């Protein structure tokens, strides 16, 4: 499987589980209740939780409803913390999904598409798997990625740093 193929496979698996899981309760955030995002200052880094980044209701079947304040974050540097789900590697990982919780992903409802970030490491900068939380910094792209008509990602991150998260 190619590197791009493994990313599509992982993201598609998360998307299909989110749609098909009968226990999946959609967390609806009314437009009036959500806090709009403010882009970081020039040269700054926006520090967000994954669910705060995706703090909007998203139609994973039709798409096209990413709020303007979220799309304007594309190109910004961000820092997010979550759990790593590698595409198809246990060592020398170059691509992985970053999700808010492993327990809900594996034993409950999978994350909604807007609550997962597809992370790509720079060429020659693979990382090893971390079983705990990781903090990832990098340049964010906000775009609906599709494979065979299915949206599998709205957030992609070109990582500049992947490290174990600080203990809380």
């Amino acid at each position: 499987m190619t590197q791009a193929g493994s990313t599509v496979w992982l993201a598609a698996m998360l998307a299909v589980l989110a749609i098909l899981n009968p226990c999946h309760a959609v967390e609806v955030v009314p437009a009036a209740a959500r806090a709009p995002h403010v882009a970081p200052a020039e040269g700054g880094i926006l520090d967000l939780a994954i669910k705060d980044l995706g703090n909007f209701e998203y139609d994973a079947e039709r798409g096209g409803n990413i709020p303007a304040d979220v799309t304007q974050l594309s190109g910004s540097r961000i820092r997010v913390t979550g759990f790593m789900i590698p595409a198809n590697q246990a060592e020398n990982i170059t691509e992985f999904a970053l999700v808010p919780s492993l327990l809900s992903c594996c034993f409950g409802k999978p994350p909604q598409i807007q609550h997962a970030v597809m992370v790509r490491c720079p060429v020659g900068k693979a990382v090893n798997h971390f079983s705990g939380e990781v903090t990832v910094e990098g340049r964010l792209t906000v775009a609906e990625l599709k494979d065979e008509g299915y949206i599998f990602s709205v957030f992609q991150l070109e990582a500049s740093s992947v490290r174990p998260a600080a203990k809380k």
Side-chain angles (χ1 to χ4, degrees):
M1 185 179 308
T2 67
Q3 186 172 7
S6 62
T7 300
V8 170
W9 175 85
L10 174 64
M13 179 183 71
L14 289 172
V16 167
L17 285 173
I19 292 167
L20 297 179
N21 188 339
C23 298
H24 182 67
V26 176
E27 185 178 322
V28 176
V29 180
R34 64 176 291 274
H37 296 297
V38 177
E42 184 69 32
I45 297 177
L46 186 60
D47 201 347
L48 284 172
I50 294 172
K51 285 194 173 184
D52 291 338
L53 177 62
N55 70 350
F56 55 94
E57 184 178 350
Y58 182 71
D59 186 339
E61 291 180 24
R62 291 187 199 95
N65 65 319
I66 301 172
D69 63 287
V70 176
T71 58
Q72 62 99 20
L73 292 177
S74 201
S76 297
R77 293 197 49 199
I78 70 163
R79 178 182 306 121
V80 291
T81 299
F83 293 89
M84 178 187 289
I85 300 177
N88 65 355
Q89 307 142 306
E91 296 178 6
N92 299 317
I93 298 166
T94 57
E95 293 181 315
F96 58 92
L98 191 68
V99 297
S101 169
L102 285 179
L103 291 177
S104 68
C105 187
C106 299
F107 300 108
K109 64 181 183 179
Q112 295 173 319
I113 290 174
Q114 76 273 25
H115 295 154
V117 178
M118 299 307 297
V119 178
R120 176 173 282 140
C121 298
V123 174
K125 301 282 184 174
V127 296
N128 286 325
H129 184 262
F130 292 101
S131 58
E133 278 190 300
V134 295
T135 298
V136 182
E137 289 182 20
R139 187 138 335 260
L140 178 69
T141 299
V142 180
E144 292 175 339
L145 297 184
K146 295 181 181 182
D147 184 49
E148 297 185 14
Y150 293 98
I151 300 167
F152 67 86
S153 175
V154 294
F155 296 121
Q156 304 86 48
L157 188 62
E158 290 293 329
S160 58
S161 169
V162 178
R163 63 182 186 280
K167 302 274 186 208
K168 295 178 184 177

